[in-house]
Amino acid sequence: MRLLLPAIMLIATPVAAQPAMTAPASAPASAPAMSPAPGYVANRPPLALMRLLPPPPEAGSTDEQADKFLYRQSKRGIGGPLWQSAIGQLSVTSPSFVKTVSCALGATLTPQTTPATMTLLRRAGTDLGRAVFLAKDYYKRPRPFSTDNGKACDPDAAKDGGKALGFAYPSGHAAVGWLWGLILSDARPERGAALLKFGKATGDLRIACRVHWASDVTGGRLLATALYQQIADAADYKADLLKAKAELSLAPVPEGCPAA
């Protein structure tokens, strides 16, 4: 999975686009040490997390046929604008991804200027990573490109059958994008529409990249929504949210964002 899930659990400073969320030699001296953050619902048993997500479409079902149709249609977009955007967001720690969410938020996210907000995302990311790992390992759904040796925008898809990307269901990118959209909307409600648009686009780009079935993306959003409902009731989340709200009101506005 291009170490996506360790990345969302260890979110720290944005660095040059790199597949792994490890401390690169080029990381700024001011970058904080990257260590796992405690989740907000760490006491939830694995089975309870699995129940947050319906299974993927059954073989031969109408939903599976729709997945295959949309995957065939996505071939038309190879090399196009959405394809290129998807390449820029292969990692949720890439400068492109962090810039996109910062523009939606209207505040520049960095460990130095928004530490409380980054803590909020990291702790929720720990919960999400655990849930997504469980589901992927349980369902073991093949990636779409592995069914026909099709082209995908992630270079790892062409290596060893795409094994480095892991299983397809649910989409981790779609889940993290939607969860961040929901959480950051709590922190900055006036930016809610832009943040949910960002969250939706994160999943849509995975379809354009041809690394996920459409139902993988839907599943990721469903899992993120169900998990968010649990996280939002946690006392620690409410306390961290108040800190994030306070600092975001003073955070620098990102430059070079596209017009709304």
Side-chain angles (χ1 to χ4, degrees):
M1 284 171 284
R2 203 179 190 83
L3 296 189
L4 165 67
L5 301 177
I8 63 178
M9 289 188 282
L10 298 174
I11 272 283
T13 188
V15 295
Q18 300 191 29
M21 189 57 180
T22 54
S26 59
S30 59
M34 289 178 281
S35 58
Y40 290 114
V41 292
N43 61 331
R44 297 284 293 177
L47 183 58
L49 293 175
M50 283 295 299
R51 287 174 177 163
L52 298 177
L53 180 69
E58 294 183 4
S61 67
T62 301
D63 287 341
E64 188 197 45
Q65 292 175 29
D67 271 348
K68 291 181 177 180
F69 172 77
L70 291 172
Y71 173 62
R72 291 193 299 270
Q73 292 294 104
S74 69
K75 188 174 182 179
R76 300 178 181 179
I78 293 176
L82 291 179
W83 177 274
Q84 297 302 326
S85 294
I87 290 174
Q89 295 194 11
L90 294 179
S91 169
V92 299
T93 61
S94 71
S96 174
F97 190 89
V98 176
K99 177 66 176 292
T100 300
V101 66
S102 293
C103 286
L105 182 62
T108 301
L109 288 173
T110 71
Q112 292 74 32
T113 60
T114 57
T117 307
M118 299 298 277
T119 293
L120 195 69
L121 297 179
R122 288 177 65 216
R123 293 190 66 180
T126 296
D127 294 318
L128 181 63
R130 180 181 173 220
V132 173
F133 265 130
L134 285 169
K136 283 181 179 285
D137 189 58
Y138 181 80
Y139 290 116
K140 293 181 170 60
R141 190 184 195 190
R143 298 269 180 167
F145 60 79
S146 71
T147 64
D148 66 350
N149 293 317
K151 188 172 183 179
C153 83
D154 192 317
D156 279 350
K159 302 174 185 175
D160 196 21
K163 289 183 179 179
L165 295 177
F167 296 110
Y169 187 83
S171 165
H173 275 76
V176 71
W178 194 245
L179 183 63
W180 283 16
L182 292 169
I183 289 174
L184 293 174
S185 293
D186 279 350
R188 214 167 205 187
E190 69 275 18
R191 301 290 299 184
L195 287 163
L196 294 182
K197 182 179 179 181
F198 150 78
K200 181 179 183 301
T202 300
D204 290 345
L205 288 177
R206 302 302 282 171
I207 299 172
C209 185
R210 310 187 85 231
V211 291
H212 275 294
W213 306 103
S215 60
D216 297 338
V217 170
T218 300
R221 292 174 185 148
L222 287 172
L223 180 60
T225 300
L227 188 61
Y228 162 77
Q229 291 172 340
Q230 294 188 354
I231 289 172
D233 286 334
D236 283 359
Y237 174 80
K238 294 175 182 178
D240 286 347
L241 182 62
L242 289 176
K243 296 175 185 177
K245 285 183 175 181
E247 74 177 10
L248 286 173
S249 66
L250 302 173
V253 176
E255 299 179 356
C257 295

